């Protein structure tokens, strides 16, 4: 009987303790529905280009009239980049899945420009001179997943974007605000890149992200002075580098509980309020380089999964012995793999060795004390 | 004794939480600080972990999207199963030898709109499956050496390329599309037979350059030749000889004043010919007898008169395809000066644009 009890204990003891969900497992799982499974017959990896098999048809191009002159049309991909086009070409084959119109001189997307393109999956219009998109322009493209509008002259996010959209890139335009209903019903939107726009905190209207599950948002090189409050709570990655953010306050992250990667480099952050990071317990990577921090932000030892912290190029003059590593019995579930502290006033000889007691790999800490 | 043994076995499975260890995000800093004596970059790979996505990039289903990040170098430690790497709109100045190591499955490499002026001759060596290489909008003075032989598409629009050497295209016999527009290429800079070995080459575009004539020795596999916006002054029949598969020929916005007799005979399967915005004084000869030509743009030239056999054959109509678009507007010739029989073989009235419609 006792033997059996012991065997039972043996079994129980073999249960491994819980490790945090792998960052990539979680992300890939959630991003899986970004791609339409029953839909990509020849496009297994869902990249912008048909890549699984080399395209070697007998006649490479759709010679017969329906390929716009100068463009290359093959296997439902239309390449019309670098042609100096001033408008969207008219005779695009109707079964096209991907159109590359980047690097042209298109000024406007008109109502009927995308007419009949019901299979369109990706549209690249970056690097044009687009200042105007007709509100009904995207009506025909009911399967559009990726829309690239970066480097144009748009002053607002186009209205009536397809609800199937998974990725929107509108970097380097002139967008000043994100209005309340602009993403309405867009349940598949997962990635939003809108850096290099003159957007300030007031420009993000309340409710702008209501009902939307974006996982990756980047609004860098803009005019933000604090962490925007109304972003979706599904956020896994938030990148706000190169803004004018002056501080991190307690309530800043209280809706972003799943955040895993946070980029705040090159801002003007002086201080991180006590307890701010307690709202992001799953965080793995924090970039706070090139700010105006005078000390290491509080709360790092409590972040069980934190592995990378960039604090270089700040005004940190002193390190506390418990700035990084937990005291007492608390243990991190993941070890630090990279802490950068170089380019700060603090000198390596002023740091007590026990400050880095929980960091096992010697090269994980960069104090800037090594010279060629 | 038994109990002791069991007890020992009990103690064996130490309930460990494996440490969670991300790799390699740090090497850039080692360089920044001149810490040359730091640990080597050959860290042991943590098994069962998975690829690392460079910070701020998005990695999903083997696509690595790192555009618009102001990157100055190709990020390190890209997932080895990556099939598409998008690095456009960054500030990369140089592609070094190890930048793409381990990317054995890469199909498409997008380096458009960076500041690349230098590419190491060994940079592309690991990319044995690369099919598309996009180098447009950079500062390259010439095409890189040793491009992968698996390449199907090369785009290097808008660089500073002035020469096309045969050696650079050696072995690239899978390339189908070659886009080299907006470069300071001179006709003398195109080495004789530069494209000869490219047996699958179907589309070439060398537009908005300084070339003064159609390059000679183009491969017979060509179906599309686009030479718009150059300084070509005349079309000689020899340049087009052998191009039996040519279907589309774009020569608009040049200074072409004459088309040598017999030129069009060398391209018997031509369907579309753009000669608008040139200096032609008459319609090129050979259109009447040409069997497949359907679209001819002749607008914005100096054509002063049109002969009745310029477009249509004498006698019995031998054409296998009928014209669907002929443009003649913005020429000195006036519509009332043209004899209607000049368009006798054109069945669709709207197919001819003489500029008399407003």
């Amino acid at each position: 009987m006792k033997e059996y009890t012991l065997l039972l204990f043996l079994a129980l003891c073999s249960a491994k303790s819980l490790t945090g969900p792998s960052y990539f497992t979680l992300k890939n799982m959630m991003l899986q529905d970004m791609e339409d499974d029953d839909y990509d017959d020849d496009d297994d990896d869902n990249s912008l280009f048909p890549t699984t098999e080399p395209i070697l048809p007998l006649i490479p191009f759709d010679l017969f009239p329906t390929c716009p002159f100068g463009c290359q049309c093959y296997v439902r991909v239309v390449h019309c980049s670098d042609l100096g086009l001033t408008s969207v070409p008219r005779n695009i084959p109707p079964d096209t899945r991907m159109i590359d119109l980047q690097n042209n001189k298109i000024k406007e997307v008109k109502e009927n420009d995308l007419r009949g393109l019901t299979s369109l999956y990706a549209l690249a219009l970056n690097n044009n001179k687009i200042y105007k998109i007709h509100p009904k322009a995207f009506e025909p493209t009911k399967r559009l997943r990726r829309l690239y509008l970066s480097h144009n002259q748009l002053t607002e996010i186009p209205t009536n974007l397809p609800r199937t959209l998974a990725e929107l890139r509108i970097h380097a335009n002139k967008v000043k605000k994100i209005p309340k209903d602009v993403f309405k019903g867009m349940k598949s939107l997962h990635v939003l890149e809108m850096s290099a726009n003159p957007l300030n905190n007031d420009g993000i209207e309340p409710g702008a992200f209501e009902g939307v599950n974006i996982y990756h948002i980047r609004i860098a090189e803009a005019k933000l002075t604090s962490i925007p409050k109304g972003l979706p709570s599904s956020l896994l990655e938030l990148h706000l580098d190169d803004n004018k953010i002056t501080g991190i306050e307690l309530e800043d992250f209280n809706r972003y509980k799943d955040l895993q990667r946070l980029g705040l480099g090159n801002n003007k952050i002086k201080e991180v309020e006590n307890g701010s990071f307690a709202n992001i317990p799953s965080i793995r990577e924090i970039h706070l380089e090139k700010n105006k921090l005078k000390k290491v932000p509080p709360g790092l030892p409590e972040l069980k999964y934190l592995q990378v912290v960039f604090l270089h190029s700040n005004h940190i003059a002193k390190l506390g012995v418990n700035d990084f590593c937990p005291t007492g019995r608390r243990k991190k579930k993941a070890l630090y793999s990279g802490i950068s502290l170089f380019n700060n006033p603090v000198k390596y000889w002023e740091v007590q060795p026990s400050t880095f007691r929980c960091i096992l790999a010697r090269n994980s800490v960069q104090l800037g004390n090594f010279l060629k | 004794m038994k109990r002791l043994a069991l007890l020992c076995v009990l103690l064996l499975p130490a309930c460990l939480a494996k440490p969670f260890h991300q790799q390699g995000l740090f090497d850039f800093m080692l360089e920044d600080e001149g810490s040359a004596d730091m640990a080597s970059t050959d860290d042991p790979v943590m098994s069962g972990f998975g690829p690392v996505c460079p910070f701020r990039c998005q990695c999903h289903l083997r696509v690595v999207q790192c555009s618009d990040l102001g990157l100055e170098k190709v990020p390190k430690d890209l997932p080895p199963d990556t099939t598409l790497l998008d690095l456009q709109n960054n500030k990369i100045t140089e592609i070094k030898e190890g930048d793409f190591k381990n990317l054995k499955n890469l199909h498409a490499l997008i380096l458009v709109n960076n500041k690349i002026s230098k590419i190491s001759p060994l940079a592309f060596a690991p990319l044995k499956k690369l099919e598309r290489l996009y180098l447009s909008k950079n500062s390259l003075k010439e095409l890189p050496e040793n491009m992968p032989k698996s390449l199907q598409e090369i785009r290097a629009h808008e660089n500073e390329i002035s020469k096309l050497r045969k050696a650079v295209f050696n072995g690239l016999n899978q390339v189908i599309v070659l886009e080299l527009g907006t470069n300071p290429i001179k006709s003398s800079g195109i080495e004789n037979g530069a494209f000869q070995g490219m047996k699958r080459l179907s589309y070439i575009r060398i537009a908005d350059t300084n070339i003064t004539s159609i390059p000679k020795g183009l491969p017979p596999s060509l179906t599309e030749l686009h030479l718009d916006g150059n300084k070509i002054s005349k079309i000689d029949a020899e340049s087009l000889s052998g191009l039996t598969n040519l279907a589309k020929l774009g020569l608009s916005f040049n200074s072409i004043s004459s088309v040598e007799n017999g030129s069009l005979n060398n391209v018997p399967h031509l369907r579309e010919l753009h000669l608008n915005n040139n200096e032609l004084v008459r319609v090129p000869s050979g259109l009447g007898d040409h069997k497949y030509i359907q679209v001819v743009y002749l607008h914005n030239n100096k054509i002063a008169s049109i002969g009745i056999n310029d477009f249509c054959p004498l006698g019995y109509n031998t054409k296998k395809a009928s014209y669907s678009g002929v443009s003649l507007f913005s020429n000195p010739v006036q519509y009332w000066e043209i004899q209607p029989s000049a368009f006798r073989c054109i069945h669709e009235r709207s197919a001819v644009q003489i500029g008399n419609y407003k």
Side-chain angles (χ1 to χ4, degrees), chain A residues 42-43 47-53 55 57 60-62 66-68 70-81 91-102 117 119-124, chain B residues 84 108 132 134 153 155 177 224:
Chain A
D42 59 338
D43 214 2
S47 57
L48 280 180
F49 306 94
T51 57
T52 43
E53 273 138 37
I55 302 144
F61 300 106
D62 187 358
T66 58
C67 189
C71 303
Q72 304 107 52
C73 306
Y74 47 89
V75 197
R76 292 173 274 169
V77 172
V78 173
H79 271 293
C80 290
S81 56
N91 43 345
I92 296 173
D95 61 347
T96 301
R97 302 252 308 256
M98 203 283 269
I99 303 176
D100 184 353
L101 276 165
Q102 61 178 297
L117 298 177
S119 297
L120 198 61
Y121 168 94
L123 176 59
Chain B
L84 187 151
R132 296 164 205 284
Y134 294 7
E153 183 180 2
R155 304 183 84 91
V177 171
E224 294 202 35

Side-chain angles (χ1 to χ4, degrees), chain B residues 336-350:
Chain B
W336 59 82
E337 295 169 343
I338 308 174
Q339 285 202 43
S341 63
F343 302 132
R344 60 188 175 274
C345 61
I346 301 174
H347 307 298
E348 238 190 270
R349 185 172 176 254
S350 59

Side-chain angles (χ1 to χ4, degrees), chain A residues 312 339-344 346-349 365-372, chain B residues 29-30 32-35 38:
Chain A
H312 60 273
I339 298 180
S340 74
L341 284 161
F342 59 90
N343 234 349
N344 274 297
V346 66
K347 294 280 171 268
Y348 70 87
W349 59 82
V365 184
Q366 281 292 330
L367 270 167
N369 47 328
F370 302 98
L371 292 164
K372 256 203 175 111
Chain B
M29 241 174 38
L30 296 174
D32 279 349
E33 279 297 289
S35 334
M38 290 308 265

